[in-house]
Amino acid sequence: MKPLRTLLAALPLALALPSVALAQTLKASDTHSAGYPTVVAVEQMGKKLEAATGGKLKIQMFSGGVLGTETEVVEQTQLGAVQIARISLGVVGPIVPDVNVFNLPYVFRDEAHMRRVVDGEIGQEILDKVTNANFNLVALGWMDGGTRHLYTKKPVRTAADLKGMKIRMQNNPVLLDTMEAMGGNGVAMNTGEIFSALQTGVIDGAENNSPTLLAHNHYQITKFFTQSGHLIIPELLVMSKRSWEKLTPEHQALVKKVAREAQLEQRELWNKRVAESNDKLKAAGVEFIEIDKTPFQQGTAPVREKHGAPYAELMKRIAAVQ
Ligand code: BDP
């Protein structure tokens, strides 16, 4: 420990030079547990930051949702109590409505299309909107959240089978309306509440990608996985603006660079994880049901019209991305 006198003597200097790179450990949050592709990608980012800054900048990962629900984590990130958060765009929509264009059902043709859109100028525009929206967040980049399908206790083999089923959705009017338009009843709740809601019968099912269905153990209760592909919601990586402003310009540039690299690295991890999860789910007796998506695609047109109205031009540009 340095004597107090030395510390006090150094204080005016530190105050006078705010851009001096002070050692910082950035607290990062993810609702998924250790080993999940998004968690690993952010940890790799941390290792790169540490190496490039001689240990001045580090990331400490809090995975498994230990810092709270995604909505709570967004709030903590806005306040600067959490520095980096990997969150679903589903929970960002109610805070920064402009991101909802990516939360619309069947807005992307497939995952390859989504990747090309987020990698290109439209992806950057949406990141900029988050950053410039005055919500104390800096959007760093995208990650894959795969394609979301229905998983239910009773099989959904036709669109009609979904009628009246209570399906958990993320708490976002666009997503709740999507479920209504598909014929089910959307029930909003946080990720961590789904398992017991399935157990107690509060809901009949939920919808997500296969890695989440497996990792959160929902497959133990819902044995039918209907390949509806109704949503392809990219994941967002954000930083607290307060924490961002404390970084030197060099460190800011470095964080942006490694975040961009993480965007591409996570994709590789994601592809592997989806294949592994599908195999494990099948081995555990989950039935993958192929379905004619047309009724769902057509049924959700009013959602794209209503919630997509402010983004009509943008939706045309998204559709034009080859
Ligand atoms: C997963 C996302 C996660 C969300 C979850 C959900 O990776 O961020 O919290 O869906 O639906 O796909 O709650």
Side-chain angles (χ1 to χ4, degrees), residues 292-317:
D292 174 15
K293 294 180 191 153
T294 324
F296 289 143
Q297 269 160 344
Q298 289 173 351
T300 54
V303 180
R304 285 183 294 280
E305 275 154 33
K306 176 181 163 195
H307 294 285
Y311 317 111
E313 270 313 302
L314 191 52
M315 282 165 70
K316 277 189 205 145
R317 283 173 60 210

mmCIF file of all heavy atoms in Angstrom, residues 292-317:
data_model
loop_
_atom_site.group_PDB
_atom_site.id
_atom_site.type_symbol
_atom_site.label_atom_id
_atom_site.label_comp_id
_atom_site.label_asym_id
_atom_site.label_seq_id
_atom_site.Cartn_x
_atom_site.Cartn_y
_atom_site.Cartn_z
ATOM 1 N N ASP A 292 -45.353 -25.587 -42.316
ATOM 2 C CA ASP A 292 -45.550 -24.594 -43.371
ATOM 3 C C ASP A 292 -45.629 -23.227 -42.691
ATOM 4 O O ASP A 292 -46.554 -22.960 -41.927
ATOM 5 C CB ASP A 292 -46.845 -24.911 -44.131
ATOM 6 C CG ASP A 292 -47.177 -23.833 -45.157
ATOM 7 O OD1 ASP A 292 -46.291 -23.010 -45.484
ATOM 8 O OD2 ASP A 292 -48.331 -23.814 -45.635
ATOM 9 N N LYS A 293 -44.636 -22.378 -42.968
ATOM 10 C CA LYS A 293 -44.563 -21.087 -42.261
ATOM 11 C C LYS A 293 -45.514 -20.048 -42.854
ATOM 12 O O LYS A 293 -45.718 -18.993 -42.264
ATOM 13 C CB LYS A 293 -43.142 -20.514 -42.353
ATOM 14 C CG LYS A 293 -42.123 -21.330 -41.617
ATOM 15 C CD LYS A 293 -40.755 -20.684 -41.778
ATOM 16 C CE LYS A 293 -39.688 -21.632 -41.272
ATOM 17 N NZ LYS A 293 -38.407 -21.417 -41.906
ATOM 18 N N THR A 294 -46.049 -20.331 -44.038
ATOM 19 C CA THR A 294 -46.840 -19.303 -44.742
ATOM 20 C C THR A 294 -47.953 -18.695 -43.882
ATOM 21 O O THR A 294 -48.075 -17.467 -43.844
ATOM 22 C CB THR A 294 -47.416 -19.880 -46.059
ATOM 23 O OG1 THR A 294 -46.462 -20.764 -46.609
ATOM 24 C CG2 THR A 294 -47.766 -18.792 -47.040
ATOM 25 N N PRO A 295 -48.762 -19.525 -43.161
ATOM 26 C CA PRO A 295 -49.824 -18.902 -42.356
ATOM 27 C C PRO A 295 -49.267 -17.924 -41.308
ATOM 28 O O PRO A 295 -49.872 -16.872 -41.059
ATOM 29 C CB PRO A 295 -50.507 -20.080 -41.665
ATOM 30 C CG PRO A 295 -50.137 -21.287 -42.450
ATOM 31 C CD PRO A 295 -48.810 -20.998 -43.085
ATOM 32 N N PHE A 296 -48.116 -18.265 -40.734
ATOM 33 C CA PHE A 296 -47.517 -17.360 -39.739
ATOM 34 C C PHE A 296 -46.957 -16.104 -40.418
ATOM 35 O O PHE A 296 -47.088 -15.000 -39.904
ATOM 36 C CB PHE A 296 -46.406 -18.062 -38.963
ATOM 37 C CG PHE A 296 -46.885 -19.111 -37.993
ATOM 38 C CD1 PHE A 296 -46.161 -20.276 -37.798
ATOM 39 C CD2 PHE A 296 -48.057 -18.923 -37.256
ATOM 40 C CE1 PHE A 296 -46.586 -21.247 -36.899
ATOM 41 C CE2 PHE A 296 -48.490 -19.889 -36.355
ATOM 42 C CZ PHE A 296 -47.748 -21.057 -36.176
ATOM 43 N N GLN A 297 -46.339 -16.318 -41.579
ATOM 44 C CA GLN A 297 -45.785 -15.156 -42.300
ATOM 45 C C GLN A 297 -46.900 -14.196 -42.683
ATOM 46 O O GLN A 297 -46.802 -12.989 -42.465
ATOM 47 C CB GLN A 297 -45.038 -15.619 -43.560
ATOM 48 C CG GLN A 297 -43.575 -15.865 -43.287
ATOM 49 C CD GLN A 297 -42.921 -16.750 -44.338
ATOM 50 O OE1 GLN A 297 -43.600 -17.429 -45.113
ATOM 51 N NE2 GLN A 297 -41.604 -16.768 -44.345
ATOM 52 N N GLN A 298 -47.976 -14.760 -43.215
ATOM 53 C CA GLN A 298 -49.098 -13.904 -43.640
ATOM 54 C C GLN A 298 -49.818 -13.329 -42.426
ATOM 55 O O GLN A 298 -50.196 -12.164 -42.412
ATOM 56 C CB GLN A 298 -50.055 -14.709 -44.520
ATOM 57 C CG GLN A 298 -49.442 -15.005 -45.885
ATOM 58 C CD GLN A 298 -50.295 -15.943 -46.735
ATOM 59 O OE1 GLN A 298 -51.270 -16.513 -46.263
ATOM 60 N NE2 GLN A 298 -49.903 -16.114 -47.989
ATOM 61 N N GLY A 299 -50.002 -14.163 -41.416
ATOM 62 C CA GLY A 299 -50.742 -13.728 -40.213
ATOM 63 C C GLY A 299 -50.070 -12.561 -39.503
ATOM 64 O O GLY A 299 -50.731 -11.752 -38.850
ATOM 65 N N THR A 300 -48.745 -12.476 -39.614
ATOM 66 C CA THR A 300 -48.030 -11.416 -38.898
ATOM 67 C C THR A 300 -47.844 -10.149 -39.734
ATOM 68 O O THR A 300 -47.215 -9.189 -39.260
ATOM 69 C CB THR A 300 -46.640 -11.910 -38.415
ATOM 70 O OG1 THR A 300 -45.930 -12.440 -39.545
ATOM 71 C CG2 THR A 300 -46.746 -12.966 -37.332
ATOM 72 N N ALA A 301 -48.405 -10.127 -40.939
ATOM 73 C CA ALA A 301 -48.269 -8.921 -41.788
ATOM 74 C C ALA A 301 -48.773 -7.664 -41.060
ATOM 75 O O ALA A 301 -48.123 -6.605 -41.126
ATOM 76 C CB ALA A 301 -48.995 -9.118 -43.112
ATOM 77 N N PRO A 302 -49.909 -7.739 -40.314
ATOM 78 C CA PRO A 302 -50.377 -6.531 -39.616
ATOM 79 C C PRO A 302 -49.361 -6.006 -38.585
ATOM 80 O O PRO A 302 -49.309 -4.805 -38.334
ATOM 81 C CB PRO A 302 -51.655 -6.995 -38.892
ATOM 82 C CG PRO A 302 -52.101 -8.209 -39.637
ATOM 83 C CD PRO A 302 -50.859 -8.856 -40.180
ATOM 84 N N VAL A 303 -48.559 -6.894 -38.014
ATOM 85 C CA VAL A 303 -47.541 -6.457 -37.033
ATOM 86 C C VAL A 303 -46.460 -5.649 -37.754
ATOM 87 O O VAL A 303 -46.022 -4.595 -37.274
ATOM 88 C CB VAL A 303 -46.899 -7.670 -36.305
ATOM 89 C CG1 VAL A 303 -45.860 -7.216 -35.292
ATOM 90 C CG2 VAL A 303 -47.963 -8.532 -35.654
ATOM 91 N N ARG A 304 -46.052 -6.153 -38.932
ATOM 92 C CA ARG A 304 -45.042 -5.410 -39.697
ATOM 93 C C ARG A 304 -45.605 -4.069 -40.157
ATOM 94 O O ARG A 304 -44.911 -3.060 -40.176
ATOM 95 C CB ARG A 304 -44.558 -6.241 -40.893
ATOM 96 C CG ARG A 304 -43.623 -7.376 -40.491
ATOM 97 C CD ARG A 304 -43.093 -8.150 -41.690
ATOM 98 N NE ARG A 304 -44.117 -8.882 -42.407
ATOM 99 C CZ ARG A 304 -44.625 -10.060 -42.034
ATOM 100 N NH1 ARG A 304 -44.195 -10.637 -40.923
ATOM 101 N NH2 ARG A 304 -45.559 -10.657 -42.740
ATOM 102 N N GLU A 305 -46.913 -4.079 -40.498
ATOM 103 C CA GLU A 305 -47.515 -2.815 -40.950
ATOM 104 C C GLU A 305 -47.623 -1.814 -39.805
ATOM 105 O O GLU A 305 -47.233 -0.661 -39.927
ATOM 106 C CB GLU A 305 -48.907 -3.076 -41.539
ATOM 107 C CG GLU A 305 -48.844 -3.478 -43.001
ATOM 108 C CD GLU A 305 -50.035 -4.318 -43.411
ATOM 109 O OE1 GLU A 305 -51.146 -4.107 -42.882
ATOM 110 O OE2 GLU A 305 -49.845 -5.217 -44.261
ATOM 111 N N LYS A 306 -48.134 -2.300 -38.647
ATOM 112 C CA LYS A 306 -48.352 -1.391 -37.506
ATOM 113 C C LYS A 306 -47.020 -0.910 -36.915
ATOM 114 O O LYS A 306 -46.736 0.281 -36.887
ATOM 115 C CB LYS A 306 -49.165 -2.128 -36.440
ATOM 116 C CG LYS A 306 -49.391 -1.357 -35.154
ATOM 117 C CD LYS A 306 -50.190 -2.196 -34.154
ATOM 118 C CE LYS A 306 -50.079 -1.621 -32.747
ATOM 119 N NZ LYS A 306 -50.535 -2.567 -31.725
ATOM 120 N N HIS A 307 -46.194 -1.856 -36.484
ATOM 121 C CA HIS A 307 -44.962 -1.452 -35.791
ATOM 122 C C HIS A 307 -43.855 -1.049 -36.763
ATOM 123 O O HIS A 307 -42.898 -0.393 -36.368
ATOM 124 C CB HIS A 307 -44.480 -2.576 -34.872
ATOM 125 C CG HIS A 307 -45.404 -2.842 -33.732
ATOM 126 N ND1 HIS A 307 -45.507 -2.009 -32.640
ATOM 127 C CD2 HIS A 307 -46.301 -3.842 -33.531
ATOM 128 C CE1 HIS A 307 -46.414 -2.489 -31.800
ATOM 129 N NE2 HIS A 307 -46.914 -3.606 -32.313
ATOM 130 N N GLY A 308 -43.986 -1.489 -38.014
ATOM 131 C CA GLY A 308 -42.943 -1.163 -38.984
ATOM 132 C C GLY A 308 -43.223 0.142 -39.721
ATOM 133 O O GLY A 308 -42.363 0.620 -40.467
ATOM 134 N N ALA A 309 -44.417 0.723 -39.485
ATOM 135 C CA ALA A 309 -44.804 1.931 -40.231
ATOM 136 C C ALA A 309 -43.723 3.025 -40.218
ATOM 137 O O ALA A 309 -43.407 3.576 -41.271
ATOM 138 C CB ALA A 309 -46.139 2.462 -39.719
ATOM 139 N N PRO A 310 -43.123 3.323 -39.047
ATOM 140 C CA PRO A 310 -42.104 4.386 -39.070
ATOM 141 C C PRO A 310 -40.834 3.983 -39.833
ATOM 142 O O PRO A 310 -39.980 4.828 -40.090
ATOM 143 C CB PRO A 310 -41.751 4.597 -37.587
ATOM 144 C CG PRO A 310 -42.733 3.813 -36.797
ATOM 145 C CD PRO A 310 -43.326 2.785 -37.690
ATOM 146 N N TYR A 311 -40.710 2.692 -40.150
ATOM 147 C CA TYR A 311 -39.458 2.217 -40.755
ATOM 148 C C TYR A 311 -39.695 1.621 -42.144
ATOM 149 O O TYR A 311 -38.946 0.749 -42.587
ATOM 150 C CB TYR A 311 -38.799 1.148 -39.858
ATOM 151 C CG TYR A 311 -38.832 1.501 -38.405
ATOM 152 C CD1 TYR A 311 -39.626 0.794 -37.520
ATOM 153 C CD2 TYR A 311 -38.098 2.585 -37.917
ATOM 154 C CE1 TYR A 311 -39.678 1.146 -36.181
ATOM 155 C CE2 TYR A 311 -38.160 2.945 -36.583
ATOM 156 C CZ TYR A 311 -38.949 2.227 -35.718
ATOM 157 O OH TYR A 311 -39.016 2.565 -34.408
ATOM 158 N N ALA A 312 -40.746 2.113 -42.813
ATOM 159 C CA ALA A 312 -41.114 1.513 -44.101
ATOM 160 C C ALA A 312 -39.935 1.532 -45.079
ATOM 161 O O ALA A 312 -39.633 0.525 -45.734
ATOM 162 C CB ALA A 312 -42.317 2.238 -44.676
ATOM 163 N N GLU A 313 -39.242 2.667 -45.134
ATOM 164 C CA GLU A 313 -38.096 2.793 -46.051
ATOM 165 C C GLU A 313 -36.979 1.834 -45.658
ATOM 166 O O GLU A 313 -36.372 1.171 -46.487
ATOM 167 C CB GLU A 313 -37.557 4.236 -46.014
ATOM 168 C CG GLU A 313 -38.189 5.163 -47.030
ATOM 169 C CD GLU A 313 -38.250 4.541 -48.425
ATOM 170 O OE1 GLU A 313 -37.162 4.182 -48.944
ATOM 171 O OE2 GLU A 313 -39.353 4.405 -48.981
ATOM 172 N N LEU A 314 -36.730 1.812 -44.342
ATOM 173 C CA LEU A 314 -35.663 0.957 -43.822
ATOM 174 C C LEU A 314 -35.973 -0.511 -44.116
ATOM 175 O O LEU A 314 -35.083 -1.299 -44.480
ATOM 176 C CB LEU A 314 -35.530 1.195 -42.307
ATOM 177 C CG LEU A 314 -34.324 0.597 -41.604
ATOM 178 C CD1 LEU A 314 -33.038 0.974 -42.305
ATOM 179 C CD2 LEU A 314 -34.283 1.069 -40.152
ATOM 180 N N MET A 315 -37.239 -0.886 -43.980
ATOM 181 C CA MET A 315 -37.605 -2.277 -44.250
ATOM 182 C C MET A 315 -37.362 -2.633 -45.719
ATOM 183 O O MET A 315 -36.950 -3.748 -46.030
ATOM 184 C CB MET A 315 -39.056 -2.545 -43.843
ATOM 185 C CG MET A 315 -39.181 -2.720 -42.336
ATOM 186 S SD MET A 315 -40.865 -2.602 -41.775
ATOM 187 C CE MET A 315 -41.532 -4.099 -42.424
ATOM 188 N N LYS A 316 -37.589 -1.659 -46.592
ATOM 189 C CA LYS A 316 -37.312 -1.904 -48.021
ATOM 190 C C LYS A 316 -35.814 -2.108 -48.226
ATOM 191 O O LYS A 316 -35.382 -2.968 -48.981
ATOM 192 C CB LYS A 316 -37.776 -0.710 -48.869
ATOM 193 C CG LYS A 316 -39.251 -0.762 -49.192
ATOM 194 C CD LYS A 316 -39.599 0.324 -50.214
ATOM 195 C CE LYS A 316 -41.065 0.689 -50.080
ATOM 196 N NZ LYS A 316 -41.350 2.086 -50.327
ATOM 197 N N ARG A 317 -35.028 -1.279 -47.523
ATOM 198 C CA ARG A 317 -33.558 -1.416 -47.659
ATOM 199 C C ARG A 317 -33.092 -2.757 -47.102
ATOM 200 O O ARG A 317 -32.186 -3.381 -47.655
ATOM 201 C CB ARG A 317 -32.852 -0.261 -46.928
ATOM 202 C CG ARG A 317 -32.906 1.062 -47.702
ATOM 203 C CD ARG A 317 -32.350 2.193 -46.863
ATOM 204 N NE ARG A 317 -30.969 1.970 -46.488
ATOM 205 C CZ ARG A 317 -30.413 2.440 -45.357
ATOM 206 N NH1 ARG A 317 -31.125 3.171 -44.513
ATOM 207 N NH2 ARG A 317 -29.159 2.192 -45.091
#
